């Protein structure tokens, strides 16, 4: 006798930009949730109306959605958020006109179209008020809106930094390749992945300190290089170039580590960049696992680069041995 497919109770609601689904399953771990060809696939072991079993369902959406569902597990249910590709109000959830028996409206979150429009307008007004306060010089802007203020410039500068690593690789400069490559990959990982892909990270104060500490070293390093190109040696600039990194570089690595630690629960909650290994293993690998490994690599890179910079400074300012007469 074939096993009967069990479906959980699913409740749904919508806004103009999002769909909300609440799956009535408790004690769920490592659910398989995906969207392919505009169909939501759900399968998980949990405790539902038919006891502790494997439950699954499939829903083909009425209109196009983005294929990256975000879900959050609680002890009593699974909450799934799906982004609509086009901001609009749907007359129903599924492409088929007849509603599936396991699907029902979520009256705890239900709004009709006019109420949803009012909520949308209220959020837009709140956003505009925030922008207005920031433009008037809110004292918190420096810390909490750094990313939105200078992100484009940081992206541009970090992409240009590739040239420095290429120059070291092909011998245009005498700098060793490894320290340059470590700094390039590390900063790009923090900027483009940890901060750039997670909106929840972009308003955190640590972003200000990461960007500030990255920049303060370059403020003295690149003027030193430019002066060297025209055979000029300004002693103050030279001293700053070989000295400022001593406190700033470890602080920068510490700020990067704090940003990674703060991002771990966010990546766990959203499931972004996590994946499930294929059959027969079927183990979910969370992206936070790689972030924890990267934390170790941050301080390994700090040791390598600190050692390199220390050798440079000793060559520049090392004491000459006195001849014994």
């Amino acid at each position: 006798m074939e096993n009967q497919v069990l479906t959980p109770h699913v409740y749904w609601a919508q806004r103009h930009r999002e769909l909300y689904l609440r799956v009535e399953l408790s004690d769920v771990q490592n659910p398989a949730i995906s969207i392919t060809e505009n169909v939501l696939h759900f399968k998980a072991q949990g405790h539902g109306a038919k006891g502790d079993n494997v439950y699954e369902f499939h829903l083909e959406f009425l209109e196009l959605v983005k294929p990256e569902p975000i879900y959050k597990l609680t002890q009593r249910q699974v909450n799934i958020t799906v982004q609509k590709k086009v901001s609009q109000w749907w007359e129903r959830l599924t492409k088929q006109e007849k509603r599936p028996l396991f699907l029902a409206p979520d009256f705890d979150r239900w709004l009709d179209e006019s109420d949803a429009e009012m909520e949308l307008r209220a959020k837009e007004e709140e956003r505009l008020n925030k922008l207005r306060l920031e433009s008037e010089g809110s004292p918190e802007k420096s810390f909490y809106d750094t990313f939105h203020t200078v992100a484009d410039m940081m992206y541009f500068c970090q992409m240009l930094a590739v040239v420095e690593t290429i120059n070291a690789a092909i011998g245009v400069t005498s700098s060793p390749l490894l320290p340059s490559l470590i700094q390039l990959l590390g900063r790009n990982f923090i900027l483009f992945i940890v901060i750039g892909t997670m909106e929840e990270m972009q308003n955190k104060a640590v972003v200000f300190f990461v960007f500030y500490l990255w920049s303060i070293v370059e403020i003295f390093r690149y003027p030193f290089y430019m002066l060297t190109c025209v055979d000029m040696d300004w002693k103050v600039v030279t001293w700053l170039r070989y000295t400022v990194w001593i406190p700033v570089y470890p602080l920068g690595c510490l700020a990067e580590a704090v940003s990674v630690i703060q991002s771990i629960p966010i990546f766990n909650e959203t499931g972004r960049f996590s994946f499930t290994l294929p059959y027969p293993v079927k183990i979910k690998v969370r992206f936070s696992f790689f972030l924890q490994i990267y934390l170790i690599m941050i301080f390994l890179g700090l040791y390598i680069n600190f050692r390199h910079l220390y050798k440079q400074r000793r060559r520049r300012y090392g004491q000459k041995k006195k001849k014994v007469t």
Side-chain angles (χ1 to χ4, degrees), residues 4-12 21-28 31-33 40-59 76-80 93 99-105:
Q4 182 182 2
V5 176
L6 301 178
T7 54
H9 294 302
V10 181
Y11 301 90
W12 80 282
L21 292 95
R22 175 165 54 88
V23 184
E24 289 291 295
L25 279 181
S26 60
D27 301 321
V28 173
I33 303 173
L40 174 68
H41 305 278
F42 177 96
K43 187 174 183 180
Q45 175 87 27
H47 191 86
K50 299 292 184 179
D52 193 13
N53 279 297
V54 175
Y55 293 81
E56 63 179 287
F57 67 87
H58 309 278
L59 289 174
R76 300 181 60 183
Q77 61 198 27
V78 182
N79 296 315
I80 306 172
L93 178 65
R99 178 176 60 82
L101 295 176
F102 63 86
L103 185 65

Side-chain angles (χ1 to χ4, degrees), residues 236-288:
V236 174
V237 174
T238 302
W239 184 85
L240 288 170
R241 182 263 180 272
Y242 286 102
T243 307
V244 164
W245 63 266
I246 297 173
V248 171
Y249 197 80
L251 289 174
C253 290
L254 180 62
E256 291 178 23
V258 170
S259 70
V260 171
I261 292 170
Q262 290 184 348
S263 73
I264 286 175
I266 299 174
F267 278 104
N268 279 339
E269 182 177 334
T270 61
R272 181 163 293 181
F273 301 135
S274 299
F275 59 90
T276 302
L277 295 175
Y279 181 85
V281 182
K282 297 185 72 173
I283 297 175
K284 182 168 184 179
V285 181
R286 294 186 177 274
F287 185 64
S288 58

